[in-house]
Each structure stands twice: as structure tokens, then as C-alpha cells.
Amino acid sequence: MSDPTYTPPKVWTWDKGNGGEWASINRPVSGATHDKELPRGEHPLQLYSLGTPNGQKVTILLEELLAAGVVEAEYDAWLINIGEGDQFGSGFVSVNPNSKIPALLDYSADKPVRIFESGAILLYLAEKFGKFVPASYPERAECLSWLMWQMSTAPLIGGGFGHFYAYAPEKFEYPINRYAMETKRILDVADKRLGESRYLAGSEYSIADIAAYGWFGGFVRGDAYGDAATFLDVASYENLMRWGEEVGARTAVQRGRIVNRNGEGMVRERHSAADIDIVLKA
């Protein structure tokens, strides 16, 4: 049987009960819904995030910087519970008017610097500390191109495939097929590129790999959207699997991807290396 058809009204109106798992927090307007100040720790870098694929990008980079000896990259990571609407608090909205995690405040200068959107945060930190982004062209152009490529693909994988495959209140063939096709095309782009070079931007590990691993890592590990890795036959992308297993084996990646997450083996908040050490040694 084909999917039921829908005739859009002349003017769309918001139905609060429609939207599946996230219906209680999604809304068609921006801005704060309540007053709530953000906490602040002792380090210059204050991260407000959640360990989603986008959130993991920043904590992985911060852990990579610390592993590389950049002591100035010490940070406090505060959990923003998007399921409870923390992203609509006045403090968070003042850092990111788009109410999406992650968001970063840098207090290292005279005037605090706010940075929002995961790709912007990665580039800011990489440039600030001179690590994980090439300084000269054409290598820099290649890295930035793959970084922006990842940013452009995330909505198709998450808001498209992930939503209709795992989160929508009902499963329909058309949107699942539509976004499965696009996700597999994206995986194929990465697989072909990684057949040419060790990492996305070339021979050196960079923020392009960190950004992509936030999303592709779950497929490689087999823990994205339930059993989506089987549905999409991710194992058939051999170059992507090789890269994902190599990146996933990095100590800093393993540390960064458990930050700002609830549950056993996870770190709800991170204020020092010991917060992660305790969990990993348990």
C-alpha cells in the first residue's frame, strides 16, 4: 500500500501535537522561553553542549588539543538537556540565538567571545591553538572544503534519515527511501575520498575528520539509530570503515565522545581530566 497523501493547506499553522519524539520542544519561532543563567566554571573555555554527533565534535577536538600538550585548552563542559528545553533558556540563547548545541564562551581575552555552530567552534579552536587545521594552501582549502561538506550533510543524515527511520511517530516508505538514498550517497562520497587518502583532507588528521567522525562514527560502530548500519549496509564501505576504526581508536576520540552524556560509562559534566579518567578506569 502506498503512503497516505497529504494536501498542504494554503497557510501552514503549527500543530503542537505533531512531530514525534521532539514534539514537546520543537516550535516555529526563536528566542528564549524562560530565564536561566548559564553556569560558569574555572577554565577560560566554557562549553554548553550535549553528546550528540554535533556535540561530540567539540569535546573530541578539545581532548585532542589537551593530548597534544595544549594546556590552554582545558575546559568546563556543561550539559544542555535539549529534551527539557535547556537550549531555550535566556543564558543559552544569548550565546546561540539559534538555540542549538554546541555553544562555546571563551573568557581568555578581555571581552568574552561567543562561538556557535559546531563547525565554527572547531575552526575557532583549531586556529586559536594552531592545531588540526593546515596553515597554508592548498592543504587548508582541502580541509575547509571537507569540513563544510560535513556541515552540509548533517541535516540530511540526522534531520532526514535519522528522523524518519528512528524518531518519526510513524514510518513511511517514501521519506525513509528518500533519505536512505541520500545518506548512502554521502557515505559513498566519503568512501571514495578515503580510498584516495588516509584522512579526509589528505595525509594529516584534521578538524575535517573530527567533524565527520561525530556523524559517521556511530554508523561504523553500529550504534547509530538502532540497527541503521545494517539497513544502510555500512560495512560495504570498506575505506570508510578503515578510517572510522582508526579514528575511533584514538584515545582523545574515546574520551571526547563520552562527555555531556547521561548513563553508565558516560560523563555528564567535565571540569577536569579526572572526570573522564574515573569513568574510563571504572
Side-chain angles (χ1 to χ4, degrees), residues 71-83:
V71 296
E72 296 85 358
E74 271 292 349
Y75 66 103
D76 291 280
W78 305 91
L79 187 141
I80 299 296
N81 191 329
I82 63 175

Side-chain angles (χ1 to χ4, degrees), residues 6 21 51 69 74 86 165 203 217:
Y6 166 66
E21 185 171 331
E74 271 292 349
D86 289 351
Y165 181 79
S203 60

Side-chain angles (χ1 to χ4, degrees), residues 243-264:
W243 166 88
E245 290 168 1
E246 180 179 350
V247 173
R250 296 176 68 93
T251 300
V253 173
Q254 294 173 5
R255 294 174 67 86
R257 74 179 190 85
I258 66 173
V259 176
N260 289 149
R261 300 174 71 180
N262 289 313
E264 185 177 355

